[in-house]
Amino acid sequence: MIVCKFGGTSVANAEQIRKVANIVKSNPARKIIAVSAPGKRFGDDIKVTDLLIELADAALHNGNVVQKLEVVVNRFKEIADDLDLDNSICEVIAKDLQERIESDKSNEFVFIDNIKASGEDNNAKLIAEYFNSIGLPAKYVSPKDGLVLNDPPERTYALPETYENLKDLASGDEIVVFPGFFGYTKDGTLRTFDRGGSDITGSILAASVKADLYENFTDVDCVFSANPKVVNDPVGISEITYREMRELSYSGFSVFHDEALMPVYKLGIPVNVKNTNNPSAPGTKILPTRSLTGRPVTGISADSGFSILYVSKYLMNREIGFGRKLLQIIEEEQISYEHTPSGLDDISVIIRSNQLTEEKEKRIVKRVKEELHADDVYFRNGISMIVIVGEGMRNNTGLAARAAAAISRTGANIEMINQGSSEVSLVFGVLSQTENQILRALYDEFFAPITVG
């Protein structure tokens, strides 16, 4: 049993969907596929999800709904026409979108989610229709039939009953085509996952049916050791552990969403990241464990959009509960944190900047000074996190020194250093304007070809 997920570029147009059909036909074990909304067909194109966000905004703010709706429907119609499907599927899609537009708008977040999710939902219907038209028996299955999510305002996740509900999903002879990105709460409210939501859906499906393999199809041959848009021709990764992949995807690797690993990780289901445009390429396997190579570092990633809350107080280390009280203030502002490196008299809290506003920053600074009697409190914005990851790092001495020396050679300053207790990752906080320069320097340090003689 293989569960496959096909991302936005893999289902962007008729040509890509034909490739998907060929991939599914080539292996009878591929019984369930999760699909995204149509993505970009070329560089300057607009994803269907972005078109749907524009449509939702127009519906909420008296914009030109008719025009925005027509653009979305025509996108699906172009795909259907190129696949030689009759017009009935386009009528189904147009009717569905119209009903969503006319739905309750009292909760704007729910309304926008409902419109956005139509991209995946209707693409799944269209793809199932195409499969049947070419003699590949298939059925569309809605997330309403078992993908149960928690209630807001918590981050979206699948409830335990989901896995029981969906365990017999592939019991028939038909290929199951399942839309990614969303599910429903117990009261029937649609909720979407965060970024990379279709990856999460695919992983949930794989865990539910206890698949032998979860294939995640995208538009690259493998996961690379560094961002190929920054580093020229980086080394490809053939095998990587769940833990390594989670660390890398958390901090900038866009090829696979970090939360998507959790359902398959619990069951030890291997993941294979593959290329829809080159399905014969072996791709990258994500495994519970792997054989270590001579290279201690598996990958280097970088992500911008962080802020650092600096707090200092003399004899902080002697004060019982100081860290808890600080994090309590952060929690009460509905903010999650990423890292908390500390010293004897100071502590830093790393926060994603999109959770902050100028008002929140001022309020947090004021509270920390007044309630914790801190000597100095301030925010530093415009920070990037650069993460060096590798299972082999635990058995390698001097790696942190090599990394710091490589960064030093760029002339950039290190704002923060943090190493997890597992010693699988080493994190550097740097100013965002130095991110790419440092990424290239670190890649050269750990992946440069070894010269002999």
Side-chain angles (χ1 to χ4, degrees), residues 4-8 10-11 17 20 24 32-38 117 119-128 131 140 176-182 197-199 201-202 205:
C4 307
K5 172 261 177 180
F6 292 92
S10 299
V11 292
I17 291 172
V20 169
V24 173
I32 302 174
I33 72 167
V35 298
S36 297
E120 280 75 11
D121 203 29
N122 287 311
N123 209 28
K125 295 172 189 174
L126 187 152
I127 290 170
F131 281 9
Y140 155 82
V176 170
V177 185
F178 200 100
F181 184 51
F182 72 98
S198 293
D199 289 345
T201 300
L205 297 176

Side-chain angles (χ1 to χ4, degrees), residues 15-184:
E15 179 186 0
Q16 293 299 97
I17 291 172
R18 288 191 186 95
K19 293 177 184 177
V20 169
N22 289 332
I23 289 168
V24 173
K25 282 193 294 186
S26 70
N27 190 339
R30 293 179 173 127
K31 297 287 290 180
I32 302 174
I33 72 167
V35 298
S36 297
K40 290 186 177 183
R41 298 160 294 184
F42 45 84
D44 297 329
D45 197 17
I46 302 175
K47 299 176 183 177
V48 164
T49 301
D50 291 334
L51 294 175
L52 289 166
I53 292 171
E54 291 179 10
L55 174 61
D57 185 67
L60 287 170
H61 302 106
N62 299 315
N64 192 335
V65 173
V66 174
Q67 181 189 38
K68 300 291 185 184
L69 176 60
E70 185 179 7
V71 171
V72 176
V73 173
N74 284 343
R75 184 74 167 267
F76 281 108
K77 187 176 188 309
E78 180 183 327
I79 295 172
D81 288 346
D82 289 348
L83 292 173
D84 297 321
L85 299 177
D86 63 46
N87 198 47
S88 61
I89 186 63
C90 295
E91 291 172 357
V92 169
I93 292 171
K95 182 174 182 288
D96 173 77
L97 282 165
Q98 190 63 49
E99 288 174 353
R100 291 174 192 253
I101 291 167
E102 294 171 359
S103 64
D104 181 22
K105 299 179 180 63
S106 58
N107 186 322
E108 289 193 7
F109 294 106
V110 172
F111 178 78
I112 292 170
D113 270 359
N114 192 24
I115 298 294
K116 283 195 299 184
S118 68
E120 280 75 11
D121 203 29
N122 287 311
N123 209 28
K125 295 172 189 174
L126 187 152
I127 290 170
E129 184 81 3
Y130 172 64
F131 281 9
N132 283 305
S133 76
I134 60 171
L136 186 62
K139 64 177 179 179
Y140 155 82
V141 175
S142 170
K144 280 184 180 177
D145 297 332
L147 208 170
V148 186
L149 303 179
N150 63 314
D151 293 318
E154 284 186 288
R155 176 186 56 79
T156 310
Y157 60 87
L159 297 181
E161 54 260 48
T162 289
Y163 301 95
E164 182 66 23
N165 295 342
L166 299 175
K167 69 178 183 179
D168 297 322
L169 196 59
S171 57
D173 295 328
E174 297 167 302
I175 303 297
V176 170
V177 185
F178 200 100
F181 184 51
F182 72 98
Y184 292 85

Side-chain angles (χ1 to χ4, degrees), residues 285-304:
K285 291 181 181 177
I286 307 173
L287 306 166
T289 60
R290 66 174 179 86
S291 300
L292 297 182
T293 64
R295 183 175 277 141
V297 175
T298 301
I300 306 169
S301 63
D303 199 10
S304 59

